[in-house]
Amino acid sequence: MTGAPIEWITVPSPLPSGPLGVGVTGLGVAAVSFSPDVDPGGPAAPGAVRCTDRRRVAAVAGRFEEYFAGARRELDLPLDWRLATGPHRLVLETLYRTVPYGETVTYGRLAQRSGAFDQVAQSPGLAARAVGSMMAANPLPVLVPCHRVVASDGLGGFGGGRIGLDVKRWLLTLEGWLAPTLDWDGPG
DNA sequence: CGGACAGTCCACG
DNA sequence: CGTGGACTGTCCG
């Protein structure tokens, strides 16, 4: 089947990266972009369509607003998983299903838990690295909580370079896993 | 205790 | 197909 077209919504956010681009289809949210102005395939790309359904726009923006304000722990939005397939999707779904708000999992543990890798026991580092690739290619950041995946000896990485890591810190601080710092401008 | 290193998985060009 | 990455346990100095 040729998937339903993605329609884009711009959602205000207190993240250091600025507003989010949220791509929706009839099935649910299919994509989230931290840099909607430059993201290839994002809302600014040629041919991209904006979502004009005010009701849907309000629903999506409202959920994110509450989450960012610390008033909501689950986004509770239906997801359209079509942009991830195979082992990639299996790992993302395992993360979505098993790692709740305020908790984290290591790259290696997620690799093991997902069952997507044969050689995990022999070379845990390789599977962990593969999981890193999959997180970097997560089409649904925030909703599929790739920010809750950390390295065994630290925070690990995040897309978007230095600013990306700031986003990861911001989200983990919001969820209470990191202690607030001086540059923290969120709730609490 | 900190740094280098090999391992051979996956996404993307 | 080749390349490089959001890792990790082990091994040196």
Side-chain angles (χ1 to χ4, degrees), chain A residues 22 34 85 128:
Chain A
V22 178
F34 286 118
T85 58

Side-chain angles (χ1 to χ4, degrees), chain A residues 46-72:
Chain A
V49 178
R50 292 203 64 77
C51 178
T52 54
D53 182 335
R54 295 182 60 90
R55 181 182 160 83
R56 186 173 290 177
V57 170
V60 169
R63 298 295 173 88
F64 274 95
E65 181 180 6
E66 290 172 17
Y67 170 76
F68 287 132
R72 160 185 289 281

Side-chain angles (χ1 to χ4, degrees), chain A residues 17-148:
Chain A
S17 53
L20 293 177
V22 178
V24 299
T25 69
L27 292 180
V29 181
V32 174
S33 168
F34 286 118
S35 42
D37 293 337
V38 298
D39 201 359
V49 178
R50 292 203 64 77
C51 178
T52 54
D53 182 335
R54 295 182 60 90
R55 181 182 160 83
R56 186 173 290 177
V57 170
V60 169
R63 298 295 173 88
F64 274 95
E65 181 180 6
E66 290 172 17
Y67 170 76
F68 287 132
R72 160 185 289 281
R73 294 159 70 91
E74 311 290 340
L75 274 301
D76 285 328
L77 290 166
L79 300 184
D80 180 347
W81 292 90
R82 86 184 55 181
L83 292 183
T85 58
H88 185 194
R89 177 155 162 184
L90 176 58
V91 171
L92 291 175
E93 287 184 332
T94 302
L95 169 63
Y96 181 72
R97 200 179 68 246
T98 67
V99 184
Y101 187 99
E103 293 182 24
T104 56
V105 65
T106 63
Y107 293 95
R109 181 76 183 98
L110 179 58
Q112 184 181 26
R113 183 182 293 174
S114 71
F117 309 93
D118 295 335
Q119 307 293 333
V120 183
Q122 292 177 36
S123 356
L126 290 180
R129 194 170 188 176
V131 166
S133 300
M134 292 167 165
M135 295 305 104
N138 176 15
L140 291 164
V142 185
L143 287 105
V144 175
C146 55
H147 58 280
R148 297 179 194 145

